[in-house]
Amino acid sequence: MVLLNLMIWYLLYVVVFALTNRERFTVIFLNTFTYLFAVANAFVVQFREQPIMLMDLKSFKTAASVAGEYEYVLTVNMVLMGLLMLLCNLWILNMEFRFLNWKYRITYGVFTCVCIYCSIQGMFAGNLFEKAGSAGLDFFRFNLTYQTNGYMACTMQSICYLKVKEPEGYSLEYVRQMAESVSQKEEKAVGLPENVIVVMNESFSDLSVLGDFNTSDDVLENFYNESGNIKRGYVYVSVYGGGTANSEFEFLTGNSVVSIPSGAVAYQMYVNKGDSSIVSQFKQQGYRTIAFHPYRKDNYNRMNVYDIYGFDAYYGKDDVKIKKIRKCASDKSDYKNLIKMYEEKEPGEKLFVFNVTMQNHGGYDYDKYESTVSLTDCPGIYPQTEQYLSLMKESDVALKYLLDYFSKVDEKTVILLFGDHQPKLEDGFYEMAYGTEITNENFSDFLMNKYMTPYMLWSNYPLDIEEKAYTSTNYLGSYLLEAIGMDMPVYNRYLLELEKEVPAVNYFGYLDKENQRHLIGEDNPCQKLLDDYQIFEYNNLFDKGKRLAELYE
């Protein structure tokens, strides 16, 4: 694999030299680029536990906009490699080679094209990766795969995943058969609520799912002690430490990111004009639909996506007044804006708001924020964890403020709150909380625990809906529609029936009816149901020319 990676890097030098005919420029430019890219990749791995991938190119603007939220400290190795790069560049300044006439340059160009063609053929058609010892991309352990196989080899392999393949057994006839098997909606004699508010709270999580540890204060006191018309449980999500937009995508559409290439952001690559979401259902019932995210509106291509999904308005940080905690809008100021939207609506108007908060965004090393919650068994050892827990305490207080307000309004109101993903914290904290060494035998359980967040379905009137101990973001939108008694398309009813057999599914695994965990791809009856789900989703998301629109609207 070392030779294969070197060959790919060498091809880059060959191509640039073929285009410029300047050896000095080629070497200095690519040396500098390679070093800067390696440093950037190291920071990305540190912050989200996943290297830079081809799919990230479409998220470049988003990455650049949130980059300022993190603290960057150069390591000794980074500095040493930077000095080595400078020395190499200084040495190459004394050298220069170029072809003196076009005949030699054209010959070299043809040679370059032949090399590129043969290399691509060898890598993709000739199974060169396999012959070099690569077992393929391990989507469960990206870092290990990239470290073992090499960055360039893994990047070239990932090209195969850019285009979503048609699932085995896919046909329009089979999709129609699945749709016909879906039960008809049971009518409920319940009027729709005047207000429905969804809060996808940034990094909102209950870290107790990771293991036993003690804190100086009850972090989620209000979340668990609030009484009334409340349903609570856990949501399995498909992202960790970042990737908020994929949780949005699953919630709003009912589609699962299991069907898209690893590392891809659905909002950036797979949302197109004509796609449907639960927003469409609210609009059909006469609701004014608002998206609200107190940050930059262009992140993750949200402006285009929200327009496609049919939101009537989209408010960002420049459209509202906010108070910041660290560098992000506080949850309380976020909720004050939700209340303002409610108070300013027209008389008799029905309102649906989808709110993505910002307060708890990583990283958690902001030195001007004083943590109020500590780990009682090891205070000060894991400062990022303690800062995060302190932020969660403030989120919990803000939640009580929001619920207290709407508990006093006369109009029927439903509020759904859930976390988009868990935070990325110190490795030592996870080892301490888990309480045992992480091995191949317990790794899948440890992994699934890191992909769980809590949810709360609250209302100021009784809802005829069962509480679900476990669910997942792809089901949660349909659960909300069922809870308020809204008519649903075939696809959403299909999801609710699938949920009875497979109560939760995320990118890595799923639960069966006995709440036993399984990894995606395991040989059991549930996997057949998930394969059918992938077929249904393929028609909805990727087969644009033959999409059976009536099933999703």
Side-chain angles (χ1 to χ4, degrees), residues 203-267:
S203 299
F204 189 93
S205 66
D206 179 357
L207 296 183
S208 67
V209 299
L210 300 173
D212 294 327
F213 62 93
N214 299 312
T215 59
S216 60
D217 202 352
D218 188 348
V219 175
L220 292 174
E221 178 181 5
N222 296 311
F223 181 88
Y224 285 115
N225 291 336
E226 187 76 25
S227 59
N229 301 302
I230 294 179
K231 313 296 181 185
R232 297 186 189 87
Y234 288 101
V235 181
Y236 280 86
V237 298
S238 292
V239 292
Y240 162 75
T244 296
N246 276 351
S247 289
E248 286 184 50
F249 169 76
E250 290 194 326
F251 172 77
L252 291 172
T253 67
N255 296 318
S256 170
V257 297
V258 173
S259 297
I260 70 175
S262 175
V265 178
Y267 274 13

Side-chain angles (χ1 to χ4, degrees), residues 144-167:
L144 180 61
T145 303
Y146 272 72
Q147 290 169 8
T148 304
N149 295 350
Y151 185 86
M152 292 304 290
C154 287
T155 298
M156 294 301 293
Q157 282 180 288
S158 70
I159 292 175
C160 301
Y161 299 93
L162 288 176
K163 180 175 174 56
V164 178
K165 296 180 180 179
E166 182 179 290

